[in-house]
Amino acid sequence: MPNKYKVADLKLAPAGRLKIEWAESRMPVLGLLKQKYSRTKPLKGQRIAGCLHVTKETAVLVHTLVAAGAQVSWSGCNPLSTQDDIAAALAADGVSIYAWHGMNVKEFYWCIEKTLEFKPTLTLDDGADLINTLHKRRQDLIPNILGGTEETTTGVHRLRAMAAGGALKYPIIAVNDAETKWDFDNVYGTGQSSIDGILRATSILIAGKNFVVAGYGHCGKGCAMRAAGLGANVIVTEVKPTAALKALLDGFRVMTMTRAARIGDIFITATGMKDVITKKHFQFMKDGAVVCNTGHYDCEVNIKDLKSLAKSVKEIRSNNQQYTLKDGRHIFLLAQGRLVNLAAAEGHPSEVMDMSFANQFLSLIHCAKEGRKLTIDVHDIPPE
Ligand code: 9W4
C-alpha cells in the first residue's frame, strides 16, 4: 500500500537523508537495537501512531521501529520543531507522515487525526496531544490499543492526572522518568546544546568570561560544567539553599542576581521560573553583556523590561539582538529570550537522543508483548 503523507516539499528529501545518515552514525544504541530486532521483528503486525518532533534523531527512531516490523504513521508534536527536509525524507522513503513547519493549530490536530486513521495498536507521544485527541475524538479506536509511551515531563503530568480521574483508557509507559532519559537530557544535552547556541549566535570567546548561570538544577548544572570546561569563571545564582550549596561545593561562586548583574559577561537562565532577569538587573549590567535563556519558554528574561530601557533594537546577526539602552550601553539578547539551545542550535546532540529513544523503542516492544497484562495506568519504565 502506498504511504500517505502531507509534507512541505518532497524535493527536500535528499538534504534530509544526509542529516538522518549523520544522526544514525552517532546513535549506536538504536543501531544495535535495529540490528538485533530486525531479525526477530517483535513489532510485526503493530501499527504505531507517533506524535514527536520531526528531527533527524526522530527519523532514526522511526527507521528502527520499521526495521523491527512496525508500520508507523507520524505527526510532529510542535509545529515549530518540524524540519521540513526530514519530513520529506521520511515521506520519500515510504513512511506515512503529516508534518510541516509552521502549521496552525487546526492543521496540527488534523495531522494527528490523519495518523489515527490507520487504527494504531500502539501510540508514542511527546506532550500527550495524540493520546488526548484519541481519548476525546476517537474513543472507537481504544479497544485496538495495547499501550502507549510518553516522552516528556509535561505529558507524564497530564497523563497521571487523566489516570487519577479515571479518564485514561489504556496503559502508558512514562519514558521521561527513565534514568537514562531525563538526567542525560538535562545535564549533558541541555548543557552542551546551550553553549552551542550561545556560540552559534555570538562566536565569542568563553574563556576568561564571567559566565552567570541562573538556577542550579540539572540544566543549570550542565551549563555551568560546560562553561567551566571552556575556561569561564562561572557564577551561579540560586534561591534554593541546598542547590546553592551544591553549586558552591562543585566549585562555583554563588551570589544573588543583583550582585552577579554588575559583573557578568554572559548570562543564561535555567530556573523554570519567570522574571529571573528584570529591569533591576539590566540597569546594572556591563556594556556588551550577553543574555539568554535555556529554561522555561521565554519568560525567564523579562524582555518588556529590557525594551523599556532601550532606545533602539537591531538584529546584529542571527538569533542575536543588540539593545541600545538610553544611557548608551548595549545588551545582546539571544534567540529573543526563547530556548537558546533549540532556537540557535540543534537541541540535544544525537548521542543524548539515542538514549532517550532507545527507551521509547524498548517500551513499545514491552507494550506489544505485555500490553494486555498491564494495568490501565501510567507505569514507570521497567529498569531493565
Ligand atoms: N523545538 C523547537 C524549535 C523551535 C521553536 C514561538 C516562535 C524539543 C525537543 C526536541 O521544541 C523543540 N521555536 C519556537 S518553539 C520551538 C521549539 N518558537 C516559539 O515563537 C519560536 C524541540 C528533541 N530533540 C532534540 O533536542 C534533538 N533532536 C530531537 O529530536 C526537538 C525539538
Side-chain angles (χ1 to χ4, degrees), residues 52-58 77-83 101 126 151 185 193 297-298 338-339 341-343 346-350 353 357:
L52 183 62
H53 304 288
V54 178
T55 62
K56 58 192 186 303
E57 292 81 15
T58 294
C77 64
N78 177 335
L80 295 165
S81 65
T82 292
Q83 293 175 12
H101 185 89
D126 181 317
E151 173 81 4
D185 259 33
S193 58
Y297 302 107
D298 60 357
R338 299 185 182 118
L339 302 179
N341 69 323
L342 288 169
E346 289 173 70
H348 303 318
S350 302
M353 296 314 295
F357 288 169

Side-chain angles (χ1 to χ4, degrees), residues 314-332:
K314 181 165 88 180
E315 180 98 7
I316 200 146
R317 48 190 274 153
S318 185
N319 286 308
N320 185 337
Q321 285 182 317
Q322 179 192 48
Y323 282 77
T324 303
L325 306 194
K326 287 166 192 154
D327 62 12
R329 280 176 301 132
H330 298 112
I331 290 178
F332 296 88

Side-chain angles (χ1 to χ4, degrees), residues 21-286:
E21 272 176 45
W22 170 248
E24 199 172 14
S25 77
R26 306 295 105 188
M27 298 178 82
V29 187
L30 282 182
L32 276 171
L33 293 170
K34 187 176 180 188
Q35 223 179 34
K36 180 172 172 187
Y37 290 112
S38 58
R39 286 195 286 269
T40 52
K41 302 226 182 292
L43 294 174
K44 193 154 187 265
Q46 300 296 342
R47 293 185 302 277
I48 303 173
C51 182
L52 183 62
H53 304 288
V54 178
T55 62
K56 58 192 186 303
E57 292 81 15
T58 294
V60 177
L61 170 64
V62 168
H63 286 155
T64 312
L65 294 167
V66 170
Q71 280 181 279
V72 305
S73 190
W74 218 262
S75 65
C77 64
N78 177 335
L80 295 165
S81 65
T82 292
Q83 293 175 12
D84 285 328
D85 51 359
I86 305 291
L90 285 168
D93 291 340
V95 174
S96 281
I97 175 161
Y98 304 88
W100 61 95
H101 185 89
M103 62 175 58
N104 63 34
V105 177
K106 208 172 140 213
E107 292 167 328
F108 177 78
Y109 287 103
W110 178 83
C111 288
I112 291 182
E113 290 193 31
K114 288 304 278 182
T115 67
L116 294 175
E117 280 179 4
F118 89 141
K119 298 188 170 57
T121 57
L122 296 166
T123 64
L124 182 156
D125 242 292
D126 181 317
D129 283 322
L130 171 67
I131 302 175
N132 208 28
T133 305
L134 201 148
H135 278 70
K136 286 216 174 94
R137 303 180 65 100
R138 292 302 307 267
Q139 289 251 347
D140 60 303
L141 300 174
I142 286 171
N144 294 326
I145 298 182
L146 295 166
T149 57
E150 170 53 48
E151 173 81 4
T152 62
T153 317
T154 318
V156 170
H157 282 156
R158 270 176 101 178
L159 293 166
R160 286 202 204 282
M162 272 172 79
L168 188 69
K169 301 291 179 213
Y170 62 85
I172 302 295
I173 300 197
V175 166
N176 183 68
D177 299 352
E179 199 186 338
T180 45
K181 201 265 178 183
W182 62 271
D183 218 9
F184 290 85
D185 259 33
N186 293 338
V187 183
Y188 306 101
T190 305
Q192 175 170 313
S193 58
S194 301
I195 304 283
D196 186 5
I198 294 171
L199 290 175
R200 290 191 203 198
T202 64
S203 80
I204 51 176
L205 180 72
I206 304 280
K209 298 282 163 53
N210 288 334
F211 191 102
V212 180
V213 179
Y216 202 69
H218 285 88
C219 295
K221 182 184 168 136
C223 294
M225 267 166 58
R226 294 299 172 249
L230 286 168
N233 299 308
V234 176
I235 295 167
V236 172
T237 72
E238 173 59 68
V239 293
K240 186 178 169 193
T242 48
L245 194 53
K246 282 181 193 168
L248 186 74
L249 301 194
D250 286 342
F252 303 120
R253 275 195 290 168
V254 179
M255 61 184 76
T256 60
M257 185 58 83
T258 307
R259 280 187 59 207
R262 296 169 186 269
I263 54 176
D265 298 301
I266 305 164
F267 295 81
I268 186 161
T269 54
T271 68
M273 314 295 277
K274 65 176 198 179
D275 290 337
V276 178
I277 299 182
T278 62
K279 198 179 237 173
K280 67 178 187 201
H281 307 116
F282 291 126
Q283 268 169 346
F284 297 113
M285 281 185 189
K286 294 200 280 189

